[in-house]
Structure formats: structure tokens, C-alpha cells
């Protein structure tokens, strides 16, 4: 389970969250990280649009997520986001934008992932686990 993250609440108070990260240069990954950087702002790559982040519900099954990213509606939505992610790279870094279709796919992806939370079995905390050090790499469909 991806439950080694803080309870959902005000983003500025959260110490960590699980994110599905999508980007034309970076592919598709799941990472547990602070929602905000050390400077108190959204990470630069997200601000610039080079990485699209979707917060995952606490307790979502890593096995379910891997299967959902391999095939089915979630995988199709992720692919639409990737297909519509346009980059404008410059010497200073660059920016990224989503096409209208990719923006709609991202919205539906967020709704779909959020809807998964109530369907998950109720999990009583058993013991504290340490957050992953390395990102979980998942192949996009």
C-alpha cells in the first residue's frame, strides 16, 4: 500500500504524499515526496509544466495501481496526457503545456484516482513504514 504518506490535509502541512508523475521527458513514475519544495512552493518542474503531478489517494494499492497503469481506463487516460504534453525546451529549462484533450484526460484521471479511495478496503495502521528512497518506476501502456 502507498500509505507511508501523511494524511490528506492542507498541502503546506503535509510532510509527504504519493504522486503519479507524467511527463514527455520523464515518462510515468510514482513517487513519495513532499508536496512542496524546501522553498515552500510547488517543485520547479511541476510549476513549469515539464512534469504533470496527480496526488494519489492514501492507501491505494501499489499492485492495483501498477495493473491500472498497464491497461484499462487509467492507462488510456495517462496515454492521452502523455500524447498531449508539449514541451518548449530552452537553454534556461523550458516549459510544458497540455493540449485541450490532454487537459480533459488529466481531469478525468484525477477524478478516477480520487474515486478509487472509497473502494479500497479499510486498512488499520499496523506499523510505521519508512518512505521509499527511490521512485517506483512503472511502465506506461
Amino acid at each position: 500500500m502507498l500509505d507511508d504518506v501523511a494524511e490528506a490535509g492542507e498541502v503546506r502541512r503535509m510532510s509527504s504524499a504519493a504522486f503519479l508523475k507524467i511527463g514527455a521527458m520523464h515518462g510515468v513514475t510514482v513517487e513519495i515526496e513532499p508536496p512542496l519544495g524546501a522553498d515552500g512552493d510547488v517543485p520547479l518542474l511541476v510549476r513549469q509544466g515539464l512534469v504533470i503531478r496527480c496526488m494519489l489517494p492514501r492507501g491505494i494499492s501499489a499492485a492495483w495501481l501498477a495493473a491500472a497503469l498497464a491497461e484499462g481506463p487509467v492507462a488510456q487516460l495517462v496515454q492521452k496526457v502523455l500524447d498531449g504534453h508539449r514541451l518548449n525546451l530552452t537553454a534556461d529549462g523550458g516549459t510544458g503545456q497540455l493540449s485541450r484533450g490532454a487537459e480533459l484526460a488529466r481531469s478525468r484521471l484525477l477524478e478516477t484516482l480520487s474515486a478509487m479511495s472509497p473502494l479500497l478496503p479499510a486498512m488499520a495502521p499496523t506499523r510505521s513504514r519508512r518512505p521509499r528512497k527511490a521512485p517506483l518506476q512503472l511502465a506506461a501502456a
Side-chain angles (χ1 to χ4, degrees):
M1 293 288 197
L2 295 177
D3 57 0
D4 291 336
V5 297
E7 289 289 338
E10 186 182 332
V11 172
R12 295 206 181 278
R13 294 186 194 185
M14 293 177 68
S15 60
S16 62
F19 290 97
L20 174 63
K21 297 172 77 174
I22 306 167
M25 284 185 354
H26 299 88
V28 179
T29 62
V30 172
E31 297 183 32
I32 296 174
E33 63 187 23
L36 302 175
D39 60 356
D41 205 351
V42 174
L44 183 62
L45 292 178
V46 177
R47 268 196 331 261
Q48 292 176 321
L50 297 173
V51 172
I52 310 304
R53 269 194 335 183
C54 301
M55 189 180 294
L56 296 169
R58 187 174 197 277
I60 193 168
S61 162
W64 178 89
L65 185 58
L69 290 172
E71 63 182 351
V74 172
Q76 292 168 0
L77 291 170
V78 168
Q79 190 59 52
K80 286 180 182 179
V81 172
L82 277 172
D83 290 346
H85 191 208
R86 304 289 178 244
L87 302 179
N88 179 24
L89 299 177
T90 65
D92 297 331
T95 59
Q97 283 187 290
L98 293 177
S99 67
R100 178 77 176 126
E103 189 64 48
L104 290 172
R106 180 181 183 271
S107 293
R108 289 198 341 236
L109 178 61
L110 288 169
E111 290 170 9
T112 301
L113 292 171
S114 294
M116 292 294 104
S117 184
L119 301 177
L120 298 172
M123 298 293 293
T126 53
R127 61 185 164 98
S128 178
R129 294 185 203 134
R130 301 179 109 177
R132 292 184 188 273
K133 297 284 185 195
L136 173 65
Q137 299 289 324
L138 299 171

